[in-house]
Each structure stands twice: as C-alpha cells, then as structure tokens.
C-alpha cells in the first residue's frame, strides 16, 4: 500500500463537514445517465463552437495581414491558419451567427452539467492516485476554461469591458486552454458516457413523472447520492427546464443574426431595438467623433503610383452593385443590402498595384480603438469587393460611412471600414 493510499484511506474516514460529506448531496436526479445525457448536447455543441471560433479567428486575420492580427506571440496557435475566402458572401454571417447563438444556447446546458457533477468538486479525499490528481487538475482547466469563455463571450457582445486584457486575445487563448482540457476529458470519460447512456432510455425518461422518479443505481464515480431524497422534479422536468432555458436564449437573440424586421425580437442583443432609419448602424458618426465631412474630402490612393480622387470623380468611375450583408463578430447582421460603388480591383489597377497586393484601409476616424484594416489580395480581387458610395439606391448616410466605406463579401464586419480617407496597396504581402 503506497503512502498516498494510506493517507487517502485515513482522510476518507474524516471528511470535513458540509458539502464534503456524501450525505450532503441528496438530489435523486444526479447520476451517470443524467450527466451523460447533457454531454450528448455538449459534445457536438462545443466542437462546433470551437470550429466556428477558429474560423472567425482566421477571418479576422485574412492571411494574418499585419494590420489585423494583433495577437502577441501567437506562434503555432495562430500562424497555421489558412486565409479566409472572399465568398460566398454569407460565409462569415452564418459562421458568426452560429458561434454567438450556439454559445448562448449552450449556457443552460453547461450550468446543468456543472450542477450534475457538483458533489465531485467536494470529493474527499481530493485524490486517490496520481492519475486521478492529473484528471482533477485537467477539470480545473475544463470548468475554468468553459466559464471563462462563456463569460468573456457574453460580456463582449454586451459591450461590457470590465477587464484589463483584450477580449480577442483572451477569448482566443482561453479557447485553446479549454479545448485541450476538453479533449483530455472526453478521452477519459467517453466510455463511461456511452455505458451510462446504455443504462437508461431517454424515451422512457421523457414519460416518467415525478412520482416514478428514483435515483439511478449506485455508480463507481459516486455521482448517485448514497441517501437520495424523494424527487421533487422528474428527469423529464429538469431536462425540459434546460431546454426551455436554451430555447428562450435562442428566441431572444437569433433575430440579431437574421437581421431585418426580426431584429426587434432580439431583446437580449445590446442594440437589438436600434434599427436606424433604414437598417442597423452599430457605431454612428457622432459616436465615432465624425462631424460633417468636409466638402473638399478626397480619397488618397497609393500603389505603384498615387492618386487623389474627389467623391464626384469616384462616382464618375465604373460603378458596380452587389447585394451583401455586414456580419459583425458579435453575431448581429444588417441582413443583405444593395451596395454600389467602385470595385477595389479597379482602384488597384488605377494606381498600378500589381495583382497579389494586399490593401491597407484607413479611416477619417481617429482613436476609439479604430484606425485601419488590412484586406488580403484575394479580398481586393473579389468581383464584389467595393469601395461603396451608395446603399439601397441612395448616397451613403454619414452613419453608414459617407463619403465612402469598404464592403467585401464574407469579411468580418469590423474590417468594412467607414469614412475611408486613404487606401494603400501593399506589395509583397499575401
Ligand atoms: N471607421 C469605422 N469603421 C467601422 C467601425 C468603426 O467603429 N469605425 N465599426 C466596424 C464594425 S465593428 C462593424 S460590425 C461594421 C458595422 O457597420 P455599421 O457601424 O455601419 O453598422 O463597421 C465597421 N467599420
Ligand atoms: Mo463589429
């Protein structure tokens, strides 16, 4: 018998009071099946959440263009990502809608799952073997990571920046910590989950009322209470409550992704009711500190040659119209609008920028965390990539970015720069 074993046996005889004693936890619902059935939703849900998050990161950093990727020391965690395509136009819209809405929908499931295993947090002795110690340490990263990702994600879409770090870096690195722990956890637990699911039938549980609800068979993990109290809610009722919570979150937020008139149903979106005179404006000119734009405004263009164009000169160039959505990293969208302006590719040709150059776009806006965005060569070349001058048949309003704004298919909203003042084609970048 090892020292650890002997110590564990001795400790087991004298658990601290309260939640450390098995008899403290008496819900008859806790057990391997109940925990496992929640995992059935979480396993694919979290996988999709992670993948759409990675895709969003790749989109946010088209080819990791220098102006966009501000992640310090990203190393392998960032550099391997492929560039993001400039189409189909709904790609980022769908990706981010899924990421944000799914993240919200999973919150009740995660909370229920944490409730279902809560006694394990107080297990005494804390570990009986080194393997178990490693597993419990990984659980710290798993639970901590999940809570961190959900909390920072929700706070970000609510514009509640009550932290000293950048959301984007923290949420990204947090995701890697979490997913590493998640993979370890699944590897440890998948077999237990499968056999627990075999132990009971969901169909039967959904027909079982409170009066017929009893604890599961005692299990080796001690999830089942040794002294279960009579049921006050059935498993059906508990799962129904989780589902109702998820559906409510879905119903009160999905409108911001779909956009248009459904937007007013997004009661949980921070600016859900702010439709603007025609369609959603995230940051108004007044909020960005943009006054009436000087009549002498000119677009500065730099490539192999340079040019300076008034708005009238831009309007006189060949105009192209495209139906495109703006999709923000926060999950909301303007829905599809009809944008008209000059193709970025035409502007590149005008100043002799070689194909394959990326584009630095700068705004009149100074400060407020917004300065510039870099578009990849593929995004500059895309036929529907525009410096928009008009939307839905009218000149851009100042809130929509007058005199000119960038709009590119499948580009994260944040890079569709408004109030453009200067565009510089950068040779030698992807
Ligand atoms: N100059 C400038 N351009 C900007 C922004 C900004 O704050 N300033 N916001 C960006 C973000 S985060 C998004 S999602 C889109 C939203 O466009 P909207 O503000 O017109 O709704 O514009 C992008 N372009
Ligand atoms: Mo955004």
């Amino acid at each position: 018998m090892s020292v650890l074993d002997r110590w564990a046996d001795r400790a087991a005889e004298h658990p601290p009071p309260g939640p450390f004693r098995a008899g403290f936890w008496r819900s008859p619902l806790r057990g391997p099946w109940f925990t496992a059935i929640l995992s059935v939703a979480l396993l694919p849900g979290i996988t999709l959440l992670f993948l759409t998050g990675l895709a969003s990161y790749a989109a946010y950093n088209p080819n990791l263009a220098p102006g966009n990727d501000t992640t310090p020391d990203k190393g392998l965690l960032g550099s391997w990502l492929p560039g993001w395509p400039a189409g189909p136009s709904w790609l980022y819209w769908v990706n981010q809608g899924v990421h944000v809405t799914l993240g919200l929908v999973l919150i009740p499931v995660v909370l229920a799952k944490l409730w279902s295993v809560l006694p394990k947090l107080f297990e005494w002795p804390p570990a009986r073997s080194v393997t178990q110690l490693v597993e419990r340490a990984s659980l710290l990263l798993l639970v901590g990571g999940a809570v961190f990702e959900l909390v920072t994600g929700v706070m970000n879409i609510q514009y509640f920046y009550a932290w000293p770090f950048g959301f984007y870096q923290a949420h990204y690195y947090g995701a890697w910590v979490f997913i590493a722990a998640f993979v370890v956890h699944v590897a440890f637990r998948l077999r237990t989950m499968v056999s627990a699911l075999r132990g009971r039938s969901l169909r039967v549980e959904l027909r079982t009322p409170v009066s017929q609800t009893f604890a599961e068979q005692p299990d080796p993990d001690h999830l089942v209470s040794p002294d279960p109290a009579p049921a006050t809610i059935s498993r059906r009722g508990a799962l129904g409550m989780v589902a109702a919570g998820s559906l409510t979150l879905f119903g009160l937020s999905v409108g911001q992704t779909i956009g248009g008139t459904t937007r007013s149903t997004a009661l949980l979106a921070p600016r859900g009711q702010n439709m603007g005179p025609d369609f959603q404006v995230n940051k108004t000119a007044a909020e960005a500190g943009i006054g009436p734009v000087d009549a002498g405004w000119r677009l500065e263009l730099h490539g192999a040659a340079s040019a300076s164009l008034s708005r009238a000169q831009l309007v006189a160039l060949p105009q192209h119209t495209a139906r495109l959505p703006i999709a923000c990293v926060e999950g909301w969208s303007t829905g599809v609008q009809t944008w008209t302006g000059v193709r970025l590719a035409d502007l590149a040709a005008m100043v002799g920028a070689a194909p394959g150059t990326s584009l630095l776009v700068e705004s009149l806006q100074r400060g407020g965390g917004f300065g510039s965005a870099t578009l990849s060569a593929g995004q500059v070349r895309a036929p529907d990539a525009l410096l928009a001058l008009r939307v839905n048949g009218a000149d851009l309003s100042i809130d929509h970015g007058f005199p000119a704004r960038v709009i590119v298919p499948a580009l994260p909203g944040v890079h569709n720069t408004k109030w453009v003042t200067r565009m510089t084609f950068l040779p030698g970048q992807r």
Side-chain angles (χ1 to χ4, degrees):
M1 204 185 227
S2 76
V3 183
L4 191 62
D5 282 335
R6 236 175 301 149
W7 176 81
D9 280 350
R10 190 121 41 90
E13 286 165 26
H14 306 285
F20 292 95
R21 309 221 162 151
F24 181 90
W25 303 98
R26 299 194 58 201
S27 170
L29 263 51
R30 278 201 190 88
W33 183 85
F34 191 76
T35 295
I37 198 77
L38 294 167
S39 310
V40 171
L42 287 175
L43 195 57
I46 282 173
T47 305
L48 190 55
L49 208 51
F50 181 69
L51 293 178
T52 49
L54 273 193
S56 181
Y57 181 88
Y60 197 73
N61 302 272
N63 291 319
L64 305 176
N68 295 339
D69 188 9
T70 54
T71 317
D73 306 323
K74 60 182 180 289
L76 275 181
L77 292 189
S79 305
W80 60 274
L81 283 170
W84 183 254
S89 63
W90 43 261
L91 192 63
Y92 193 72
W93 185 9
V94 170
N95 187 84
Q96 226 37 27
V98 169
H99 185 72
V100 172
T101 310
L102 181 60
L104 292 170
V105 161
L106 289 183
I107 289 173
V109 189
V110 168
L111 291 178
K113 170 97 181 181
L114 291 179
W115 173 85
S116 80
V117 294
L118 195 53
K120 303 287 286 176
L121 183 64
F122 300 94
E123 203 169 32
W124 201 263
R128 284 193 165 273
S129 67
V130 175
T131 322
Q132 206 194 357
L133 201 66
V134 171
E135 198 203 349
R136 295 202 78 196
S138 83
L139 288 176
L140 209 65
L141 299 181
L142 183 78
V143 175
V147 170
F148 182 82
E149 290 299 283
L150 290 177
V151 168
T152 52
V154 168
M155 285 172 74
N156 182 60
I157 62 175
Q158 295 294 335
Y159 306 112
F160 182 31
Y161 298 107
W163 51 57
F165 45 78
F167 162 76
Y168 158 71
Q169 289 92 340
H171 199 65
Y172 181 62
Y173 287 138
W176 280 108
V177 171
F178 168 75
I179 208 70
F182 181 73
V183 167
V184 170
H185 182 67
V186 172
F188 267 106
R189 290 279 146 196
L190 195 62
R191 277 176 56 191
T192 314
M193 171 186 140
V194 171
S195 68
L197 287 173
R198 291 218 178 98
R200 295 174 100 85
S201 139
L202 177 63
R203 195 117 51 86
V204 172
E205 289 303 332
L206 293 182
R207 294 203 188 113
T208 307
V210 192
S211 58
Q212 298 303 311
T213 299
F214 306 106
E216 297 179 42
Q217 293 303 311
D219 65 315
D221 293 314
H222 306 294
L223 283 175
V224 178
S225 170
D227 178 23
T232 53
I233 187 171
S234 61
R235 290 187 183 81
R236 166 178 73 181
L239 293 177
M241 221 166 65
V242 174
S246 289
L247 272 176
T248 305
L249 287 173
F250 180 82
L252 294 185
S253 51
V254 72
Q256 69 166 347
T257 300
I258 298 170
T261 48
T262 59
R263 197 178 163 76
S264 56
T265 64
L267 297 177
L268 292 179
R271 300 184 191 183
Q273 308 308 305
N274 175 5
M275 310 274 289
D278 44 3
F279 62 91
Q280 157 82 12
V281 169
N282 190 37
K283 173 94 48 83
T284 62
E287 285 169 328
I290 299 286
V293 175
D294 183 20
W297 174 88
R298 295 177 83 83
L299 172 71
E300 274 185 60
L301 271 182
H302 301 291
S306 288
S308 166
L309 299 168
S310 69
R311 196 165 189 283
Q313 287 171 313
L314 284 168
V315 170
L317 293 173
Q319 303 290 298
H320 180 76
T321 294
R323 293 187 32 81
L324 301 172
I326 294 178
C328 179
V329 63
E330 293 147 17
W332 62 263
S333 170
T334 58
V336 176
Q337 309 294 335
T338 304
W339 303 88
T340 303
V342 185
R343 281 183 163 137
L344 296 183
D346 292 349
L347 293 172
M350 177 181 272
V351 289
T357 52
S358 62
L359 170 61
L360 175 71
V361 183
E362 290 167 276
S363 172
L364 286 172
Q365 185 186 355
R366 287 282 158 262
F370 201 93
S372 65
T374 312
L375 308 182
S376 69
Q379 288 161 340
V380 173
R381 262 198 317 268
D384 283 346
L386 302 179
L387 181 69
L389 305 168
R390 298 165 66 80
V391 65
N392 300 331
D395 279 341
L396 291 179
S397 65
I398 183 94
D399 287 340
H400 285 314
F402 180 87
R405 85 172 297 165
V406 164
I407 176 104
V408 174
L411 189 67
V414 61
H415 295 325
N416 290 308
T417 307
K418 304 204 277 192
W419 314 297
V420 173
T421 180
R422 190 183 306 124
M423 306 213 299
T424 309
F425 293 93
L426 308 162
Q429 313 269 357
R430 280 191 296 163

